[in-house]
């Protein structure tokens, strides 16, 4: 290919599964007999698969452990047989208590083992996997997520004759709502806090049912209540309380408030303000907060990528 050309990268997802064991912090490594290597659990995304869902699926298939995603790690890019490959990485904990491995060896993965993190880097076959371990060790392992979601696709406001608080999701939004649980559940058990507007509560309804989560409404996150617009200061104060509570949470609100709430969080954590703080409908920010109250990572997704 000419130097100015472009090759669409192979997309993949994986996770550094970790736990605190009897011998200190450990991570999972797998051994693949057909390649004779030791590597971290990861794999190619299926066509149209969300990177979050793909990472969870691949890790479970290769280890038998269902990962609960934690902080986002830097993307790795390298050549695979001369073709560019892009791997999205997360830190993750096993969903089952203790992380006991119950995996049947097969032609693809012959062993799954917990290895002390200090030894893992030397056991890995590939330099790009060693870099992932370095990235994992460079930041906090234990974090909790605060997810800021702009409601899913709703009908045209100009074509809606009733109260704007009652304007529902449209056909696209309802389809997105059915896809949302597979994405949000990857981050573990989240409490749900929503604007009282129908399009926001409907966005989270399938998630609350499928993942058995409770939802409460927050007037401060609601645009158009009592025939009014919204109060930025009140919304930011309410979001500050969510951050103070230190619990894994998804907040669903409106496009007008998303930049303001993200500004509240970034300012609180002493971080620079991104120029792109807004979201299109159906997109969300994930703020990974360490247990000591620092911002460990930020990522952005659409519910259907």
């Amino acid at each position: 290919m000419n130097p100015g050309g472009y090759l669409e990268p192979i997309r993949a997802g994986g996770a550094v599964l970790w736990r605190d064991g009897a011998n200190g912090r450990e991570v999972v490594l797998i051994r693949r007999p057909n390649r004779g290597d030791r590597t971290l659990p990861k794999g190619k995304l299926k066509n149209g698969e969300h990177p979050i869902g793909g990472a969870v699926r691949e890790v479970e298939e290769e280890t038998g452990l269902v990962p609960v995603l934690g902080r986002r790690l830097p993307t790795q890019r390298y050549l695979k047989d001369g073709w560019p490959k892009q791997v999205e990485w997360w830190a993750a904990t096993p969903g089952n208590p203790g992380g006991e491995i119950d995996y049947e060896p097969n032609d693809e993965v012959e062993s799954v083992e917990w290895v002390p993190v200090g030894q893992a880097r030397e056991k890995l076959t590939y330099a790009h996997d060693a870099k992932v371990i370095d990235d994992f060790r460079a930041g906090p392992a234990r974090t909790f997520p605060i997810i800021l979601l702009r409601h899913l696709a709703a009908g045209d406001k100009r074509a809606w004759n009733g109260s704007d608080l009652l304007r529902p999701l449209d056909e696209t939004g309802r389809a997105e709502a059915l896809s949302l649980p597979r994405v949000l559940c990857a981050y573990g058990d989240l409490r749900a806090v929503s604007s009282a507007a129908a399009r926001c509560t409907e966005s989270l309804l399938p998630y609350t049912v499928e993942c058995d989560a409770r939802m409460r409404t927050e007037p401060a996150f609601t645009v158009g209540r009592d025939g009014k617009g919204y109060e930025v200061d009140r919304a930011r104060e309410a979001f500050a309380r969510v951050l103070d509570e230190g619990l894994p949470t998804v907040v669903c609100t409106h496009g007008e408030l998303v930049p303001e709430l993200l500004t509240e969080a970034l300012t609180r954590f002493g971080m620079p303000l991104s120029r792109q703080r807004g979201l299109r409908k159906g997109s969300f920010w994930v703020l990974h907060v360490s247990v000591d109250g620092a911002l460990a990572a930020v990522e952005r997704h659409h519910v259907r990528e």
Side-chain angles (χ1 to χ4, degrees):
M1 174 171 287
N2 291 330
Y6 173 78
L7 294 175
E8 183 69 25
I10 300 167
R11 299 189 68 206
V16 178
L17 271 174
W18 69 275
R19 71 177 183 181
D20 286 329
N23 299 316
R25 185 150 295 166
E26 301 171 321
V27 296
V28 165
L29 302 186
I30 64 172
R31 180 172 175 80
R32 300 184 294 186
N34 59 338
R35 301 184 183 181
D37 61 7
R38 274 193 174 88
T39 185
L40 297 167
K42 64 179 179 298
K44 291 186 291 186
L45 305 182
K46 297 179 180 179
N47 289 337
E49 187 174 31
H50 200 288
I52 292 173
V56 169
R57 176 186 56 77
E58 283 289 343
V59 171
E60 182 178 6
E61 288 178 359
E62 292 192 340
T63 68
L65 300 169
V66 179
V68 177
L69 300 186
R71 127 177 165 260
R72 180 72 179 267
L73 302 176
T75 299
Q76 292 292 311
R77 297 178 177 86
Y78 52 90
L79 292 178
K80 174 65 176 175
D81 299 326
W83 199 276
K85 187 171 184 178
Q86 176 176 312
V87 188
E88 312 298 340
W89 286 102
W90 285 264
T93 51
N96 62 315
E100 295 303 318
I101 295 171
D102 182 14
Y103 186 80
E104 188 69 30
N106 54 56
D107 293 340
E108 293 189 10
V109 178
E110 68 177 0
S111 70
V112 180
E113 59 181 337
W114 287 104
V115 176
V117 67
Q119 301 175 19
R121 195 182 192 283
E122 307 307 319
K123 288 179 174 289
L124 289 165
T125 302
Y126 307 110
H128 52 76
D129 281 346
K131 179 62 168 63
V132 176
I133 292 294
D134 291 342
D135 291 335
F136 168 71
R137 299 184 73 182
R142 200 175 303 279
T143 61
F144 65 89
I146 300 292
I147 299 175
L148 183 56
L149 169 71
R150 182 177 176 184
H151 67 75
L152 309 178
D156 189 343
K157 181 177 181 179
R158 294 168 296 183
W160 179 252
N161 294 323
S163 167
D164 193 48
L165 287 176
L166 300 180
R167 180 160 53 94
L169 298 181
D170 59 20
E171 183 176 354
T172 298
R174 290 191 294 272
E176 291 173 341
L178 293 175
S179 298
L180 191 61
R182 291 194 295 274
V183 178
L184 293 187
C185 287
Y187 294 101
D189 296 328
L190 304 169
R191 62 174 181 166
V193 181
S194 177
S195 154
R199 56 195 180 277
C200 293
T201 57
E202 288 179 12
S203 294
L204 289 179
L205 182 59
Y207 165 74
T208 62
V209 172
E210 187 168 330
C211 299
D212 195 25
R214 293 185 177 183
M215 176 168 56
R216 69 174 175 87
T217 58
E218 171 54 67
F221 296 153
T222 307
V223 171
R225 60 187 180 86
D226 302 326
K228 302 177 182 178
Y230 54 92
E231 299 175 33
V232 170
D233 289 344
R234 186 179 180 190
R236 290 183 59 159
E237 289 171 2
F239 196 57
R241 289 195 296 272
V242 169
L243 296 171
D244 285 337
E245 288 160 353
L247 298 173
T249 305
V250 54
V251 171
C252 185
T253 188
H254 307 261
E256 296 92 331
L257 286 175
V258 166
E260 301 293 344
L261 302 188
L262 185 61
T263 296
E264 175 65 29
L266 294 178
T267 302
R268 173 193 185 91
F269 294 120
M271 300 296 292
L273 297 183
S274 167
R275 292 184 178 181
Q276 297 181 343
R277 298 191 295 277
L279 292 171
R280 60 189 175 112
K281 293 176 182 177
S283 294
F284 57 94
W285 291 103
V286 186
L287 308 176
H288 297 280
V289 184
S290 67
V291 293
D292 61 0
L295 186 62
V298 180
E299 56 183 311
R300 178 175 59 181
H301 297 280
H302 191 272
V303 65
R304 299 172 76 180
E305 292 189 352

